[in-house]
Amino acid sequence: MASEGQSEYESVLCVKPEVNIYRIPPRASNRAVRAADWKLDAPDWQGRMRVTARGKVAYVKLEDKISGELFAQAPIDEYPGIAVETVSDSSRYFVLRIQDENGRSAFIGVGFGDRGDSFDFNVALQDHFKWVKQDIELKKQAQTPDTTPKLDLGFKEGQTITLNIGQSKKRERSRPQSSGGLGLLPPPPGGKLAPPPSKAANNNTQPATEGSDAGFLLDLDSNSSNFFAASNSSSSASSDLWGDFDSAPPK
């Protein structure tokens, strides 16, 4: 029912205010049609072109510029196709197959004065039949059952799940933070700190220091006694020398 309602609705795809219509000679062979074979300077009819669509079929309607009376129309069920053909020597001219109410058909030439108008006419037909092709593919997909397995992510009957929120925390590597002023530097990796000296060690080292001082003083005393002994011996020796001199008889 939706497709029937859609087929009754007529939409306008393109409107061109001026087109030229030519009577073309019958095609003698299968060679391409050339617009140069037509009487381009003397068109047989001039009017307005209106391209509409009703369902999947497009219609090219040739109408009078003033009254809008229908001169001829061409139903198009596919494009490109036999209903609309391009010529080999120009992009502004086409061969159009028109039909009357009794089903009789004839081929006429259609020409546009501007290349932009011919481009719009061509694009309007292409867009319409592109939409028709997409609509057919969507309907085929809707009618074809999907046989691919679907992933079931729901819980089975009786299945539960436990969430531990706030229980597990990532352990971050502690870093020393300085609270302003002088802070302690972190120890080097893999190093060991020496323990502080104990009181026993201090007590043991103190006598050693005093002993060394006393030994140093003793060394000084021994040196001074030796010095005085040497001086006494020298003075005694000098006195003996003068004594010998005094004891000698006068000459």
Side-chain angles (χ1 to χ4, degrees):
M1 297 297 294
S3 60
E4 292 180 359
Q6 185 180 6
S7 63
E8 294 178 357
Y9 176 75
E10 184 178 34
S11 60
V12 178
L13 304 180
C14 179
V15 176
K16 292 302 173 183
E18 184 175 354
V19 293
N20 299 324
I21 303 300
Y22 305 93
R23 293 181 180 179
I24 60 176
R27 185 177 302 179
S29 61
N30 293 331
R31 70 181 181 87
V33 181
R34 298 175 67 253
D37 297 336
W38 308 344
K39 297 179 181 180
L40 299 179
D41 55 346
D44 296 294
W45 186 84
Q46 289 182 339
R48 179 181 64 189
M49 172 184 285
R50 192 160 59 96
V51 182
T52 63
R54 185 181 296 124
K56 298 178 181 179
V57 181
Y59 296 88
V60 178
K61 298 183 178 182
L62 303 175
E63 301 171 343
D64 186 78
K65 293 182 181 179
I66 300 174
S67 63
E69 183 181 359
L70 182 64
F71 173 74
Q73 73 174 359
I76 304 171
D77 53 1
E78 62 177 349
Y79 182 78
I82 193 174
V84 179
E85 299 180 53
T86 59
V87 298
S88 60
D89 57 347
S90 178
S91 61
R92 296 187 293 114
Y93 298 92
F94 300 85
V95 177
L96 187 66
R97 185 185 65 180
I98 58 176
Q99 289 183 353
D100 59 5
E101 296 178 356
N102 298 325
R104 295 179 300 179
S105 61
F107 291 93
I108 60 175
V110 178
F112 297 91
D114 187 13
R115 295 184 185 276
D117 294 338
S118 63
F119 176 80
D120 295 341
F121 171 69
N122 191 16
V123 171
L125 292 177
Q126 287 180 354
D127 291 344
H128 171 71
F129 287 101
K130 185 184 295 184
W131 169 83
V132 171
K133 184 178 180 180
Q134 293 177 354
D135 185 64
I136 293 175
E137 292 178 355
L138 291 176
K139 289 181 179 179
K140 287 182 179 180
Q141 293 178 1
Q143 294 176 358
T144 304
D146 189 5
T147 58
T148 57
K150 296 182 179 180
L151 182 61
D152 186 10
L153 298 178
F155 289 100
K156 305 296 187 296
E157 184 177 358
Q159 186 178 5
T160 60
I161 186 172
T162 304
L163 297 177
N164 295 326
I165 301 176
Q167 298 296 329
S168 61
K169 296 182 179 179
K170 295 182 179 180
R171 295 183 178 178
E172 298 181 355
R173 185 178 180 181
S174 61
R175 297 180 179 178
Q177 297 180 355
S178 60
S179 59
L182 297 178
L184 297 178
L185 294 177
K192 296 183 179 180
L193 292 176
S198 62
K199 293 182 179 180
N202 295 332
N203 295 331
N204 293 333
T205 57
Q206 185 67 25
T209 306
E210 294 176 356
S212 61
D213 295 339
F216 177 72
L217 294 175
L218 291 175
D219 292 339
L220 291 177
D221 293 339
S222 61
N223 293 332
S224 62
S225 61
N226 294 332
F227 174 75
F228 287 121
S231 61
N232 292 331
S233 61
S234 60
S235 62
S236 61
S238 61
S239 62
D240 292 341
L241 179 62
W242 286 105
D244 294 338
F245 181 76
D246 291 336
S247 61
K251 292 182 179 181

